[in-house]
Amino acid sequence: MAEVTVKQFAEVVGTPVDRLLSQLADAGIALDDPEAAISDEQKLQLLTHLRHSHGEGGSGEPRKITLKRRSVSEIKLTGSQGRAKTVSIEVRTKRTYVKRSAVIEEESKKRAEEEATREAERAEQRAEEERQASMRAEKQALEAAERQRKLEEESRHKAEQDANARADAERRKAEADARREAEEEDRRQRAAAPPRKAGPIADDRQTKYGRSELHVAHAASGRRKKKPGKAKAAVSVQLETRHGFEKPVAPQVREVAIPETITVGELAQRMAVKATEVIKIMMNMGAMATINQVIDQDTAAIVVDEMGHKAKLLKENALEEQVLQIEHEGEAVTRPPVVTIVGHVDHGKTSLLDYIRRTRVAAREAGGITQHIGAYHVETEKGVITFLDTPGHAAFTAMRARGANVADVVVLVVAADDGVMPQTIEAIQHARAANVPIVVAVTKVDKPEADPEKVRSELAQHEIISEEWGGENIFVHVSAKTGEGVDKLLESILVQAEVLELKAVASGPASGFVLESSLEKGRGSVATVLVQRGLLRSGDILLAGQEFGRVRAMFDEDGKRIDEAGPSMPALVLGLSGTPNAGDEAVVVPDERKAREVALYRQGKIRDVKLARQQAAKLDDVFQQLSDGQKSLNLLIKSDVQGSAEALRDALIQLSTEEIKVKVIASSVGGITESDVNLAVASKAVIIGFNVRADGGARRIIAESGVDVRYYSVIYEAIDDVRKAVSGLLKPELREQIVGLAEVRDVFRSSKLGAIAGCLVIEGTVKRNLPIRVLRDNVVIYEGQLESLRRFKDDVAEVRAGTECGIGVKDYNDVRASDQIECYERVEVARAG
């Protein structure tokens, strides 16, 4: 195209020459003469400058994002022999998306001042006209550039068509000349050749594809070639050969944190490699492993080093500390006080609490003593109080210590007719060790022999001085029978709580304390948790000691289902993987995987099961085995709750002497199973069943192996029997012997007798004049007497095995179907050997 001057270009775009020269100068083009020529490159430079000045370039240029995709398709082709074969075609496509940045609107300007002059308005109008003129010039420049591009493309296309036409004509002319020369050469050869003999083909011209014709065509290169024309448009697939991401220029070296134990799959995930690569490395090292196999820290460190990464060994309790670091955010609110009732056995602790709760808990305790720690919250007129009832027997020292450590206020119960006793002194020591204020409740003041002043004097010797005597301890005289002083006791507890200003955060993950745990059929592991801070909800992941799990359901102390429990509230929790130990800390963690790691780590630290010899041991044979070199007595304890198992274990271990050592090889909760009996056989152990019984399979193995199994419902009876066996004082003893066992099939209601259990006697004989126990899931829930024993409508004295009967339990109406009623008698058995 001919060159265009600046003046002509200004006329084309419709802008003044002076303005165009100014824009050229701003764009860096040194043209100051309107008659100077302007090139296409200068026009593009001017166009680029104008775009930049209007925000379409530079920092305002749209950002791009490119997505790459791979797709594999198959096509079927027919081969040379007619066979179909499938060819896979991988197509890589690249698609670019433009994301224009959002223009942030500036805040609306203030209203123009009323004193603005008309000159400013005219200047604004002129600026607007110049902007529109600039936009028109830009648009015209774009249109001119587009027209120029189209003209160049059309001229190029026309030139290509002309060149193709000329080449076609030359090719056709050359083919015609070659064909004409070949025909002339063929005629000359046929004229000069001698006549041929007659044959199948006499004249080459009679056959279209004769031998001579083929030969001549080959010799003269006059074979007609296929007329070259436009080649068919080949189907071309544009494949994107570049990958979606660039390979790192150097190997990525990661720092891999390795706990005490880790699975192969998790180790591979931390190194960002496939699990198969880790398994391959371990196989080369001579270790066969699967993706879910747990390996130790040393093995994992070797694998990490082998794969070129750096191993960071976590210390033993690093993960545990990380999980237990819970930050409670939120405002602390006033919480109810946690009150622990402590004191000597049979001083009226549970009876006092029963009066407060208006229940009859003491009537359900075996032997009339408390052997479980209980948690209850009581709503009074002046506020809510959470009570912890602890056992008073000497064997339950650990329970009392836990109760004192978790309490805000300790209520020391001392009987006015008995005074200070050993467990009273022990309770005082626990309260002082926990630095908890003590409120003294002097009970049984309604008895004639009560002497409250004697109690004050004896407690003063242990630095427990009443406020009347100038001390700091509140003394309240109470009676569980008449209710005297109970209201004053509650008021004193709340006053003490106000002085302490008890507060806790009532939101966020909960943390608390395991008071008791047990194993129940149909419900699994059950733990009583006292929430200390936070909010415990159903569905939370709870880590309690060496057990963990998701909270499936929660109940209060009355068995009512609840959805959440706040600070100072006890809750019965279902869903843990096992029964945690009483006293374990319970926390809610956000990650179930970390909770499992901590639980496995804790289980590995305490997993210590020792198996001994292969013969059964009996209490009666202790001294006979001493002569054979036996120096220890092995015991296997099964209890209904974890706290009782712990107390019984500690009490029995303390019975060891210089000659005989008492060893508890295992202690757990739940009924006696086959595995427990097999462990007792292998370790020559005596099985102690505390408020539990053996199931059918376990009873069969007991009968075959002769393992000695002792059932107890009161802790001091078990301790006394073991003490007598160890000291050699086991004279003719009073032993319980099970006479008969009946299974409840259905329960009928009678207006006169209450609940009547329709039973089938499955073992032995049920006798009317013998004591009974009611078992539910092999756990003793009631002890008492038979009120009635009938066969059809007749009263009978006994019912034998395989016979149906109706049984009425005296003072107990909570018999259910599938319960078992055990009839037993106490007999004197002389010691053998």
Side-chain angles (χ1 to χ4, degrees), residues 320-321 323-328 402 406 509-516 527-533 536 541-549 576 579-589 595 598-599 602:
E320 188 175 3
E321 293 177 354
V323 172
L324 297 181
Q325 287 178 354
I326 300 176
E327 296 182 0
H328 295 274
R402 284 194 299 271
V406 77
S511 61
F513 187 83
V514 177
L515 296 174
E516 195 60 273
T528 302
V529 178
L530 178 66
V531 181
Q532 294 177 310
R533 62 187 64 86
L536 179 62
I541 300 171
L542 188 65
L543 174 64
Q546 59 179 345
E547 308 297 340
F548 73 99
L576 295 178
T579 54
N581 295 325
D584 287 343
E585 184 180 3
V587 294
V588 173
V589 297
V598 174
R602 291 175 175 176

Side-chain angles (χ1 to χ4, degrees), residues 44-45 59 65 76 87 151 208 282 369 378 675 687 773:
L44 292 176
Q45 185 176 352
S59 61
I65 182 171
K76 294 185 178 180
V87 178
L151 290 174
K208 185 175 181 180
M282 296 187 67
I369 65 171
V378 178
S675 60
I687 300 177
R773 293 190 182 97

Side-chain angles (χ1 to χ4, degrees), residues 363-414:
R364 298 199 297 266
E365 298 287 356
I369 65 171
T370 299
Q371 300 178 117
H372 306 147
I373 189 169
Y376 320 96
H377 75 279
V378 178
E379 297 181 1
T380 66
E381 296 179 356
K382 298 183 179 181
V384 179
I385 304 175
T386 298
F387 285 98
L388 301 183
D389 184 18
T390 59
H393 192 271
F396 296 100
T397 301
M399 284 192 184
R400 288 190 294 274
R402 284 194 299 271
N405 289 333
V406 77
D408 301 314
V409 178
V410 168
V411 175
L412 179 63
V413 175
V414 184

Side-chain angles (χ1 to χ4, degrees), residues 38-209:
I38 182 171
S39 61
D40 293 337
E41 291 78 1
Q42 292 172 338
K43 293 178 183 178
L44 292 176
Q45 185 176 352
L46 173 61
L47 178 60
T48 303
H49 168 69
L50 292 176
R51 287 179 175 175
H52 276 272
S53 64
H54 291 286
E56 298 184 6
S59 61
E61 186 176 354
R63 292 177 294 178
K64 298 181 180 179
I65 182 171
T66 302
L67 301 181
K68 301 177 179 62
R69 298 289 187 270
R70 285 193 313 177
S71 61
V72 180
S73 60
E74 296 181 351
I75 60 173
K76 294 185 178 180
L77 301 177
T78 304
S80 58
Q81 298 181 359
R83 297 181 179 177
K85 62 179 181 179
T86 303
V87 178
S88 298
I89 296 180
E90 181 179 327
V91 180
R92 298 182 181 178
T93 59
K94 178 172 70 173
R95 182 173 296 176
T96 302
Y97 296 87
V98 178
K99 180 181 179 181
R100 301 188 181 278
S101 59
V103 179
I104 303 175
E105 296 182 358
E106 298 180 353
E107 297 181 355
S108 59
K109 299 181 180 180
K110 297 181 179 180
R111 295 180 180 180
E113 298 179 353
E114 295 180 355
E115 294 81 9
T117 61
R118 296 180 181 180
E119 183 64 23
E121 294 179 357
R122 284 197 298 269
E124 184 178 355
Q125 185 176 1
R126 283 197 302 271
E128 180 66 21
E129 291 175 355
E130 289 178 359
R131 188 181 65 80
Q132 292 180 358
S134 176
M135 293 177 64
R136 285 196 300 271
E138 180 182 354
K139 182 177 180 181
Q140 291 173 1
L142 288 173
E143 292 176 353
E146 184 67 21
R147 288 194 298 272
Q148 178 69 20
R149 186 186 62 77
K150 288 183 178 179
L151 290 174
E152 291 178 355
E153 187 176 353
E154 290 175 358
S155 62
R156 185 171 61 252
H157 185 60
K158 186 176 180 181
E160 289 178 356
Q161 287 181 344
D162 294 343
N164 290 338
R166 288 194 298 271
D168 240 2
E170 292 176 358
R171 187 180 65 254
R172 286 195 295 271
K173 183 179 179 182
E175 290 178 355
D177 294 341
R179 193 164 48 250
R180 190 166 50 253
E181 290 176 0
E183 291 176 355
E184 292 176 0
E185 183 68 24
D186 190 18
R187 284 196 297 273
R188 286 196 299 271
Q189 288 182 1
R190 282 200 297 271
R196 297 176 60 187
K197 295 182 181 181
I201 302 175
D203 190 358
D204 289 339
R205 289 173 297 179
Q206 296 177 359
T207 61
K208 185 175 181 180
Y209 301 102

Side-chain angles (χ1 to χ4, degrees), residues 433-715:
N435 195 19
V436 180
I438 300 175
V439 176
V440 180
V442 183
T443 59
K444 301 182 181 181
V445 294
D446 55 329
K447 286 189 173 183
E449 61 272 20
D451 188 0
E453 295 302 323
K454 175 186 175 183
V455 174
R456 292 173 183 264
S457 301
E458 292 178 349
L459 289 176
Q461 298 177 6
H462 300 281
E463 299 180 1
I464 303 296
I465 303 174
S466 66
E467 292 179 339
E468 291 81 359
W469 290 8
E472 298 178 352
N473 300 102
I474 301 174
F475 276 64
V476 181
H477 295 178
V478 297
S479 173
K481 288 187 177 181
T482 63
E484 177 187 350
V486 173
D487 294 336
K488 184 179 179 182
L489 176 64
L490 297 178
E491 184 179 353
S492 301
I493 293 173
L494 292 174
V495 168
Q496 188 69 52
E498 290 180 2
V499 174
L500 295 176
E501 296 182 354
L502 304 174
K503 292 186 178 181
V505 178
S507 61
S511 61
F513 187 83
V514 177
L515 296 174
E516 195 60 273
S517 64
S518 61
L519 188 64
E520 298 182 10
K521 187 175 182 180
R523 301 175 74 181
S525 300
V526 179
T528 302
V529 178
L530 178 66
V531 181
Q532 294 177 310
R533 62 187 64 86
L535 193 63
L536 179 62
R537 298 185 178 91
S538 295
D540 288 345
I541 300 171
L542 188 65
L543 174 64
Q546 59 179 345
E547 308 297 340
F548 73 99
R550 190 178 297 274
V551 179
R552 293 190 289 107
M554 292 194 302
F555 303 89
D556 60 8
E557 66 271 15
D558 295 326
K560 297 179 182 179
R561 187 157 187 164
I562 57 177
D563 295 328
E564 59 184 25
S568 301
M569 298 301 293
L572 204 67
V573 176
L574 275 65
L576 295 178
S577 58
T579 54
N581 295 325
D584 287 343
E585 184 180 3
V587 294
V588 173
V589 297
D591 192 352
E592 186 174 1
R593 179 176 56 84
K594 290 185 178 180
R596 181 183 292 107
E597 289 183 4
V598 174
L600 292 176
Y601 164 70
R602 291 175 175 176
Q603 290 175 10
K605 289 174 61 178
I606 64 174
R607 187 183 295 113
D608 186 16
V609 178
K610 298 180 181 179
L611 298 178
R613 302 176 184 177
Q614 300 296 322
Q615 295 180 356
K618 292 186 178 181
L619 289 175
D620 302 338
D621 301 333
V622 171
F623 285 94
Q624 182 178 355
Q625 293 172 5
L626 283 175
S627 61
D628 299 333
Q630 177 71 21
K631 298 297 182 181
S632 64
L633 172 62
N634 296 332
L635 300 177
L636 189 150
I637 300 173
K638 297 289 289 187
S639 177
D640 53 347
V641 294
Q642 188 72 38
S644 298
E646 179 187 18
L648 193 58
R649 182 185 68 240
D650 296 341
L652 295 180
I653 291 176
Q654 293 177 1
L655 298 178
S656 299
T657 63
E658 296 180 357
E659 294 80 13
I660 300 177
K661 183 178 181 181
V662 178
K663 293 183 179 179
V664 178
I665 62 172
S667 64
S668 58
V669 298
I672 301 172
T673 62
E674 296 183 18
S675 60
D676 297 327
V677 180
N678 291 330
L679 178 59
V681 172
S683 55
K684 300 174 60 178
V686 178
I687 300 177
I688 304 295
F690 188 74
N691 279 332
V692 296
R693 294 294 180 271
D695 56 19
R699 287 198 298 269
R700 184 177 62 255
I701 300 178
I702 290 171
E704 294 175 355
S705 61
V707 175
D708 190 8
V709 181
R710 300 295 181 95
Y711 296 121
Y712 299 97
S713 57
V714 180
I715 190 170

